[in-house]
């Protein structure tokens, strides 16, 4: 078992982000500095018209029939990271059509080999042409048989057609019933709002790594009006979170890719957690 490891989650916005290629390289440069052990990405897209590509080394298909495009965001990032000497094993799950010409997905990257993948639909709709479709993606790495890392991108609490509560119940049904589980992503439920999605997760016994951390910042991951929230006046939200199914030691929770010092690469900032095991510490 590793004595310490780090987790990073980011809603990448990827191809929908202005000046995407520059921000892709900035993201890769930042990851090369941070070197997280596990990365969870949401809104990791590819264009629907791009040429299919042969799956590269390190790629593990989440399911049969997934076609990777040459401009797949995760594929590009993993290849660029490999050029720096940082090799990730990764998987990508397409979810829905978005922004007209994109196939949007979620992804997990691991510095250790991936030995198992599991996934499932958590929304009421399972139609990839419906923007409300939501999925759960998980991996198990080669160093343990009792730990799973999951990535998700969920709906708002007040979505009238496919709300968070139902997606959370579906998520719980898909998760393993034993072992240590990590759940990372864009939950679209601000941590500061009581009696909604954040409290529902906590009531199920999950531990927010931000709250467990010995050191932390303000945790804010969205500072401006973004897609999905433009009908509200909410800003300065902590909606990108890292949860664990049990209480663990967290040295630090840090917002990254927020301009201090790593550049902003998305309409969300990222969150990185340093997890301690056996009492050993390693700084972010």
């Amino acid at each position: 078992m590793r004595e310490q490891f780090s987790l990073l989650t980011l809603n990448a916005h990827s191809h929908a982000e202005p000046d995407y290629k520059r921000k892709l390289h900035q993201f890769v440069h930042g990851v090369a500095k941070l070197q997280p052990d596990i990365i969870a990405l949401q809104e990791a897209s590819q264009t629907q018209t791009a040429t299919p590509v042969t799956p590269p080394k390190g790629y593990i298909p989440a399911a049969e029939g997934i076609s990777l495009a040459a401009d797949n965001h995760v594929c590009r990032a993993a290849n660029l990271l490999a050029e720096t000497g940082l090799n990730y094993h990764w998987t990508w799950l397409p979810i829905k059509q978005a922004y007209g010409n994109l196939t949007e997905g979620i992804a997990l990257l691991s510095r250790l080999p991936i030995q198992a993948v599991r996934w499932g639909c958590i929304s009421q709709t399972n139609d990839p042409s419906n923007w409300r479709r939501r999925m759960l993606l998980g991996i198990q790495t080669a160093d343990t048989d009792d730990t799973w890392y999951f990535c998700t991108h969920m709906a708002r609490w007040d979505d009238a057609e496919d709300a968070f509560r139902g997606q959370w119940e579906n998520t719980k049904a898909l998760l393993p019933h034993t072992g240590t589980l990590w759940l990372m992503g864009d939950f679209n439920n601000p941590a500061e709002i009581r009696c909604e999605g954040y409290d529902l997760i906590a009531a199920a016994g999950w531990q927010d790594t931000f709250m467990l951390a010995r050191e932390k910042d303000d945790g804010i991951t969205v500072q401006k009006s973004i897609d999905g929230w433009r009908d509200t006046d909410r800003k300065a939200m902590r909606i990108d979170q890292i949860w664990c199914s049990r209480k663990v030691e967290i040295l630090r929770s840090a917002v990254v890719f927020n301009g201090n010092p790593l550049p902003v690469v998305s309409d969300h900032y990222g969150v990185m957690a340093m997890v301690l095991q056996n009492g050993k510490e390693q700084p972010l």
Side-chain angles (χ1 to χ4, degrees):
M1 179 181 291
R2 289 169 288 180
E3 294 176 343
Q4 65 279 311
F5 61 94
S6 55
L7 308 170
L8 169 66
T9 184
L10 174 69
N11 182 321
H13 207 216
S14 58
H15 286 276
E17 190 68 17
D19 203 4
Y20 162 65
K21 289 185 178 179
R22 179 177 64 87
K23 291 178 181 178
L24 167 65
H25 284 270
Q26 289 176 330
F27 169 70
V28 168
H29 181 70
V31 169
K33 282 189 171 183
L34 297 171
Q35 299 194 10
D37 294 286
I38 301 288
I39 303 172
L41 296 178
Q42 308 86 51
E43 295 192 30
S45 306
Q46 62 185 28
T47 60
Q48 295 172 0
T49 55
T51 304
V53 66
T54 301
K57 182 180 179 181
Y59 170 70
I60 304 295
E64 294 183 3
I66 294 176
S67 177
L68 288 180
D71 64 358
N72 181 282
H73 176 70
V74 194
C75 187
R76 279 179 163 179
N79 287 341
L80 289 169
L81 285 164
E83 291 177 7
T84 74
L86 192 57
N87 295 300
Y88 278 93
H89 306 265
W90 59 278
T91 188
W92 176 77
L93 183 68
I95 296 178
K96 60 186 180 182
Q97 299 174 17
Y99 297 99
N101 70 329
L102 300 181
T103 297
E104 185 179 288
I106 54 178
L108 285 159
L109 300 88
S110 170
R111 295 188 66 184
L112 290 173
I114 295 171
Q115 65 178 8
V117 179
R118 61 193 300 168
W119 61 275
C121 180
I122 60 172
S123 53
Q124 292 184 38
T125 178
N126 198 18
D127 179 1
S129 68
N130 188 327
W131 67 268
R132 283 188 164 89
R133 189 185 193 218
R134 306 284 179 169
M135 307 290 280
L136 179 73
L137 176 66
I139 61 171
Q140 192 177 59
T141 57
D143 62 330
T144 178
D145 292 327
D146 65 352
T147 300
W148 282 87
Y149 305 93
F150 288 92
C151 176
T152 192
H153 184 185
M154 302 180 79
R156 278 171 40 176
W157 178 262
D158 58 355
D159 189 310
E161 295 187 33
D162 207 333
F164 179 90
R165 182 184 289 276
Q167 293 180 8
W168 175 243
E169 292 302 318
N170 291 336
T171 296
K172 290 193 297 180
L174 287 170
L175 291 169
H177 299 298
T178 59
T180 300
L181 312 179
W182 296 91
L183 186 58
M184 303 171 279
D186 176 359
F187 290 85
N188 269 317
N189 276 256
E192 64 273 15
I193 298 181
R194 302 280 64 82
C195 301
E196 292 190 0
Y198 180 90
D199 285 354
L200 193 64
I201 301 173
W206 287 76
Q207 303 290 321
D208 179 4
T209 55
F210 175 83
M211 300 302 295
L212 294 176
R214 299 180 191 175
E215 302 175 20
K216 68 188 78 172
D217 45 29
D218 63 10
I220 299 300
T221 59
V222 171
Q223 287 278 16
K224 61 182 182 179
S225 177
I226 61 170
D227 292 343
W229 289 90
R230 298 194 190 281
D231 61 337
T232 76
D233 59 359
R234 295 205 62 84
K235 297 179 182 177
M237 300 182 292
R238 186 166 75 84
I239 60 176
D240 302 88
Q241 300 151 13
I242 300 174
W243 294 82
C244 188
S245 61
R246 66 178 181 86
K247 193 171 183 178
V248 290
E249 285 192 90
I250 305 295
L251 171 61
R252 188 181 304 167
S253 175
V255 175
V256 294
F257 295 109
N258 64 344
N260 183 29
L262 297 178
V264 175
V265 297
S266 172
D267 58 353
H268 288 240
Y269 304 150
V271 177
M272 189 165 177
M274 175 59 68
V275 185
L276 306 181
Q277 297 184 126
N278 302 326
K280 300 284 183 74
E281 297 186 5
Q282 177 176 311
L284 286 175

